[in-house]
Amino acid sequence: MLIKKAEQIKPSEITPKEIYQQRRHFLKTSVNTGLGLAASGLLATRAADVFAGYGLKTLNHVKNSQYSLDDELTKYKDVTTYNNFYEFGASKSSPAATAHKLNAEPWSIKVEGHVENPASYHLEDIITEQTLEERIYRLRCVERWSMVVPWLGFPLAELIKKVKPTSQAKFVEFTTLYRPEEMQGQRRGVLAWPYVEGLRMDEAMHPLAFLAVGLYGEVLPNQNGAPIRLVVPWKYGFKSIKSIVKIRFTAQQPVSSWTRSAPHEYGFYSNVNPDVDHPRWSQRRERRIGEFFKRKTLMFNGYAEDVAHLYKNMDLKKYF
Ligand SMILES: Nc1nc2c(c(=O)[nH]1)N[C@H]1C(S)=C(S)[C@@H](COP(=O)(O)O)O[C@H]1N2
Ligand SMILES: [Mo]
């Protein structure tokens, strides 16, 4: 029915976002009827091939997460051309221009530290159809802009449960690929490479924390962190580390690359918090990419109901 409706409209009248939203609606219907994402034609052929390489043959089980928001989506073009990925340069446009040099296949993630099942895991060992979800999340940069992205991925907690951290594991440290031949930004010392980020164990286990392998129904573009990146929707964007090659379970709080480079500006927690200014600017407002007027920034990026309990009794001005 939906598809017939679409046929009555001239293709030139439809923006990519509208097409996607129709497909999204179709996906909802098709998941309910067991038709599946690949069968619905939502995935581009290349995406179907790549996901098949991960062992996901039909993507029958992709569901729309209960955590998805109803916010209007940021345009695909903006999501994939206005990026922060310092490994590909410090400007917003350079990742889209240079990230094609990254070879993201094959890929594996080394899991080490305080964990019962340390190993190098291939993506196909990590991603399972059963837990794949589409989640529409806000991404809020410390630089006061935000986006709304339809991610495809699975809860970080799924992976953590599989590798079984021991009781000594209090934190999780993530590391990005270091490959200066393909990541030209790494030839300069803007940050201490490789890029490192971390979460407290209870943050990492929270159902909102998500490992993304796709967006807009497609394989994750390189500039967005292919083939696998973290999304922590209640924290500033830099916590959402891209192109992850290592996950280490630690007893001590990890030192992230941004904290290492400017400890007064970027703390370990980096929760979105309109009441705590960045030393050089206020964090009260943000510009949603594609919008003209600024919005008020919401506590924990609007996810306070879900995550505020993680920080009760903590002075968030001190633990910023
Ligand atoms: N490895 C790595 N991950 C990274 C970054 C980076 O420079 N390197 N930038 C971060 C920042 S500051 C932001 S705002 C988000 C941007 O994600 P996006 O380009 O997919 O919107 O990625 C984060 N993850
Ligand atoms: Mo950011």
Side-chain angles (χ1 to χ4, degrees):
M1 243 164 71
L2 259 161
I3 286 180
K4 271 187 196 139
K5 236 195 236 161
E7 279 168 1
Q8 290 156 6
I9 308 166
K10 268 192 258 150
S12 58
E13 293 168 12
I14 311 173
T15 68
K17 196 191 83 227
E18 282 166 339
I19 294 172
Y20 180 75
Q21 275 168 344
Q22 282 169 357
R23 284 174 170 178
R24 223 178 91 66
H25 192 100
F26 185 62
L27 169 64
K28 266 187 196 159
T29 327
S30 63
V31 165
N32 291 339
T33 58
L35 243 163
L37 193 69
S40 78
L42 178 79
L43 287 172
T45 319
R46 182 178 138 70
D49 283 351
V50 173
F51 284 122
Y54 299 165
L56 308 175
K57 293 205 174 48
T58 57
L59 296 181
N60 265 332
H61 303 278
V62 173
K63 44 184 192 233
N64 285 287
S65 168
Q66 51 163 324
Y67 295 107
S68 281
L69 306 174
D70 291 327
D71 290 33
E72 194 178 333
L73 302 178
T74 303
K75 285 201 197 83
Y76 177 84
K77 181 117 210 283
D78 289 333
V79 172
T80 56
T81 58
Y82 189 84
N83 298 104
N84 265 342
F85 199 165
Y86 277 59
E87 284 84 339
F88 294 105
S91 81
K92 299 285 176 287
S93 56
S94 63
T98 60
H100 61 272
K101 290 182 187 138
L102 168 65
N103 182 7
E105 298 160 42
W107 196 272
S108 51
I109 298 184
K110 219 172 154 202
V111 175
E112 57 183 44
H114 296 296
V115 66
E116 280 180 34
N117 300 326
S120 190
Y121 291 88
H122 295 293
L123 274 195
E124 55 267 35
D125 302 329
I126 291 172
I127 309 169
T128 64
E129 276 181 89
Q130 277 67 24
T131 56
L132 266 192
E133 291 179 3
E134 188 187 55
R135 295 192 180 192
I136 298 179
Y137 275 160
R138 297 184 202 96
L139 186 130
R140 165 64 157 83
C141 184
V142 73
E143 297 165 273
R144 297 161 296 178
W145 49 267
S146 63
M147 294 188 184
V148 181
V149 183
W151 305 103
L152 192 63
F154 58 95
L156 172 61
E158 293 300 326
L159 172 62
I160 295 179
K161 282 180 215 155
K162 193 177 280 184
V163 302
K164 298 202 172 95
T166 68
S167 59
Q168 279 161 287
K170 305 291 181 221
F171 298 90
V172 195
E173 183 190 82
F174 304 85
T175 305
T176 292
L177 178 73
Y178 177 71
R179 201 183 281 164
E181 317 88 82
E182 294 176 12
M183 301 173 123
Q184 104 279 347
Q186 289 178 332
R187 295 177 212 150
R188 301 177 55 210
V190 237
L191 280 174
W193 310 112
Y195 193 101
V196 169
E197 261 306 336
L199 295 173
R200 214 171 56 191
M201 190 58 100
D202 57 346
E203 298 179 317
M205 289 300 292
H206 194 284
L208 278 177
F210 190 66
L211 282 167
V213 295
L215 57 79
Y216 266 100
E218 294 183 5
V219 170
L220 208 56
N222 285 356
Q223 60 268 34
N224 293 89
I228 185 163
R229 62 92 59 85
L230 187 65
V231 182
V232 196
W234 69 95
K235 293 177 181 279
Y236 290 119
F238 62 89
K239 301 294 284 184
S240 292
I241 182 172
K242 296 175 168 181
S243 306
I244 299 167
V245 292
K246 191 160 78 180
I247 299 181
R248 194 160 70 96
F249 293 84
T250 66
Q252 250 103 56
Q253 185 172 296
V255 181
S256 71
S257 293
W258 286 106
T259 304
R260 194 179 292 281
S261 78
H264 301 293
E265 301 192 14
Y266 311 107
F268 175 76
Y269 285 95
S270 296
N271 293 316
V272 173
N273 188 340
D275 300 331
V276 177
D277 292 344
H278 183 279
R280 290 181 279 143
W281 54 73
S282 160
Q283 291 288 3
R284 290 217 167 273
R285 295 180 161 273
E286 70 197 50
R287 191 172 67 84
R288 181 70 51 87
I289 299 296
E291 291 180 358
F292 181 74
F293 293 106
K294 286 194 174 157
R295 293 168 173 251
K296 270 190 173 169
T297 287
L298 303 172
M299 188 63 197
F300 297 115
N301 204 20
Y303 300 93
E305 252 182 56
D306 298 293
V307 300
H309 69 273
L310 297 173
Y311 311 103
K312 64 168 192 280
N313 306 325
M314 275 177 70
D315 178 354
L316 296 180
K317 289 205 159 67
K318 187 172 168 207
Y319 298 101
F320 61 95

